[in-house]
Amino acid sequence: MPSAILLLLLLLPLIDANRYRSTKKLLVPFGDRFRNPPQISLTLRDGVYTDIIEGMDPLIVWEDEIASSGGEESGFSFRAGIQSGLRRTPENVWGAVRTRLSNRLDAMFRVDYQGESDQTQANVEFSNIDQSTSFRLDTTWSTWQPLVRRFEATKRFFVQEGEGQMSVTPRIVNSIVSGVSGFYRDVVLEYGSVRRNANGGRTNLKLTLANSFDKELEIEHSTRNTAVQILASRNSQEVTASQQLDDDNRVIANMNSLGELSLAWEHQFSRKGILMNSKGTTTNRRYSDMDEDEFSASTIKATLQTSDETIQVEYNDGPWSCNVAAPLAFFDARDTRGATFRIQRKIELSGLDDIFI
C-alpha cells in the first residue's frame, strides 16, 4: 500500500542511534512522550441497525505532537493523527515532520491517507525562519501513480508601518476548467490586519486572479460586535453577517445569489455555577478562575434555512452534543415525518499513556 510505505519513509528521519534517550521507549530523539490520549465518540442516530456497534457508530480520533529535546534550536518536531471507525477503513491517517535544515531554512513534510478514496496526499514545504517566504508542492498518490496537484510560492511583507500584512502567491494548479483538465496559473493576493484598530476593527482581503475569466474575491471585516464576510466570483456571490447582541447571544444571517437565506441564533448559557470543562468533568470553579483552554461553554444554536425549508438545532455541553433537523412541515400537526436527530458523546481514553511513546 503506497500510504504505508510513505508513512514509513516519514518515520525514518526520526531514528538516530546517537541520540537515543532510553531503550525502554521507542527509539526516537525526543525528550517528551505523546501526551494526548485518544478520544472515542459514540453517536446515536435515528434509524434501524443490525447491532449496537452499528447503532452507536464509534469513532476513534487521536492527534498529538512531540518535539526534540533540543527545543527551538534543533527545530525538529513530529505530529501524527488518526480518525477511524471500528468496522471500516480508517477515514484519515496522517503524519508530519518539521525540521530546521539550516539557521535560515525550515522544511515540512506531511502525508495524509484518505481511506474513503484510497488516496495518499503528500505535501512538501520549505520556508525561511520568519515565514516571509515559502514554497509548497502538493501531490496525490493513487495505485503508485503520483499526480502533482499544486505548486505555489508565497512572499509575505508588512505594510502600513506594520499594521497590516500582505502576501503574494503565484500558483500552478492541476484543475478542471470548462471540462478540460490541465495545469492552470493564477495569483492569490491577501491582506490582513495584524491587530485591531482603535475602534476594534480588523479587515482581511483575499483576491484570486486566474488566467481564465473567473476571479474570486473574499472580504472579511469585523469590529468588537459585528462581522461581515463577502464571497464573490463570476458564478456565485454570498454574504454573511453576524451581530453579537450581548455576552451570551449572537445572530447570524447568510444570503447567496441563488436566493437562499439562512438565519441563526446562538446562545451561550450562564457562566456561573457548576461548569463542564473540556475534558467532560464537572467543576465548581467559576469561569473567571478557569483557563480558556479548560473551559467549554454550553451553547445552543438554532438555524432556519430557506433552501430546504428546515430548522436545525444544535446543543453542545462539554463532551455532549445533540443535533436535531426537521422540515417546517414537521411543526404542522398534519405531517410529523422527516425529523432526524443525532446525539454524540466524546470519551477521553485516559490511562493509555504507556501505549504511546
Side-chain angles (χ1 to χ4, degrees):
M1 180 184 293
S3 59
I5 296 178
L6 285 173
L7 286 174
L8 178 61
L9 293 176
L10 185 65
L11 292 173
L12 287 178
L14 301 179
I15 302 177
D16 187 345
N18 297 323
R19 299 171 67 184
Y20 292 161
R21 295 182 58 86
S22 173
T23 58
K24 297 181 180 180
K25 301 178 182 179
L26 185 63
L27 303 181
V28 294
F30 295 103
D32 295 328
R33 309 191 318 172
F34 283 121
R35 297 178 177 179
N36 292 336
Q39 285 188 341
I40 182 172
S41 63
L42 304 177
T43 303
L44 179 62
R45 296 182 176 89
D46 57 309
V48 179
Y49 305 99
T50 58
D51 54 35
I52 189 173
I53 298 296
E54 182 183 1
M56 299 300 289
D57 189 23
L59 181 67
I60 298 176
V61 179
W62 172 76
E63 179 178 342
D64 211 334
E65 177 181 7
I66 51 178
S68 58
S69 56
E72 295 184 357
E73 294 182 359
S74 60
F76 199 98
S77 64
F78 172 64
R79 299 182 62 201
I82 183 174
Q83 178 173 316
S84 176
L86 294 184
R87 291 185 175 179
R88 56 179 183 266
T89 304
E91 297 178 5
N92 181 229
V93 181
W94 63 271
V97 169
R98 180 177 292 275
T99 184
R100 182 155 296 176
L101 300 180
S102 67
N103 58 356
R104 300 187 61 183
L105 183 65
D106 285 343
M108 189 274 291
F109 177 50
R110 173 170 174 142
V111 174
D112 287 81
Y113 171 70
Q114 305 292 335
E116 184 175 351
S117 59
D118 194 21
Q119 288 187 342
T120 301
Q121 297 179 359
N123 308 322
V124 181
E125 182 175 352
F126 298 93
S127 61
N128 58 354
I129 301 303
D130 60 3
Q131 302 292 315
S132 62
T133 304
S134 63
F135 300 89
R136 174 169 176 151
L137 175 66
D138 296 347
T139 62
T140 298
W141 293 70
S142 179
T143 62
W144 292 100
Q145 296 181 356
L147 174 66
V148 176
R149 294 187 296 116
R150 181 174 62 183
F151 175 77
E152 65 181 33
T154 301
K155 175 63 179 178
R156 303 175 182 87
F157 50 90
F158 290 98
V159 295
Q160 296 180 341
E161 299 180 353
E163 293 296 324
Q165 186 182 68
M166 189 170 184
S167 67
V168 180
T169 305
R171 307 185 303 180
I172 300 177
V173 182
N174 190 347
S175 181
I176 298 177
V177 177
S178 300
V180 180
S181 177
F183 289 93
Y184 297 88
R185 298 184 298 272
D186 60 20
V187 178
V188 179
L189 305 177
E190 292 188 72
Y191 170 82
S193 302
V194 177
R195 59 182 66 88
R196 295 187 180 274
N197 57 29
N199 298 323
R202 173 177 291 175
T203 302
N204 296 318
L205 173 66
K206 181 178 180 180
L207 176 63
T208 302
L209 302 174
N211 59 351
S212 61
F213 292 102
D214 196 15
K215 299 176 178 60
E216 296 180 357
L217 175 65
E218 178 178 342
I219 301 176
E220 295 180 358
H221 179 74
S222 62
T223 61
R224 290 186 176 89
N225 298 318
T226 306
V228 178
Q229 181 188 57
I230 300 175
L231 303 176
S233 67
R234 182 179 60 177
N235 299 321
S236 64
Q237 299 81 41
E238 181 178 345
V239 178
T240 302
S242 65
Q243 178 67 38
Q244 190 76 35
L245 303 178
D246 51 38
D247 290 342
D248 299 324
N249 294 277
R250 184 168 70 115
V251 292
I252 308 103
N254 175 274
M255 182 175 61
N256 60 33
S257 56
L258 299 177
E260 299 172 341
L261 175 67
S262 68
L263 299 174
W265 165 71
E266 187 176 83
H267 174 74
Q268 179 173 285
F269 293 95
S270 175
R271 297 175 176 176
K272 298 180 180 179
I274 298 178
L275 302 174
M276 183 79 72
N277 63 22
S278 58
K279 293 185 178 181
T281 57
T282 58
T283 175
N284 289 316
R285 297 164 59 194
R286 292 182 177 272
Y287 173 77
S288 57
D289 299 328
M290 299 177 65
D291 296 331
E292 182 178 355
D293 59 352
E294 66 172 329
F295 173 76
S296 180
S298 300
T299 61
I300 186 171
K301 182 178 181 180
T303 305
L304 170 63
Q305 294 183 332
T306 62
S307 58
D308 51 4
E309 297 185 345
T310 60
I311 293 180
Q312 299 180 8
V313 180
E314 178 181 354
Y315 174 72
N316 292 281
D317 188 2
W320 288 95
S321 66
C322 177
N323 297 79
V324 179
L328 296 179
F330 178 81
F331 299 93
D332 189 335
R334 294 171 298 178
D335 188 356
T336 58
R337 299 169 300 174
T340 60
F341 75 92
R342 179 179 68 92
I343 300 176
Q344 186 178 67
R345 174 66 158 91
K346 295 181 180 179
I347 303 172
E348 186 175 274
L349 302 179
S350 58
L352 302 179
D353 299 52
D354 293 336
I355 297 178
F356 301 96
I357 302 170

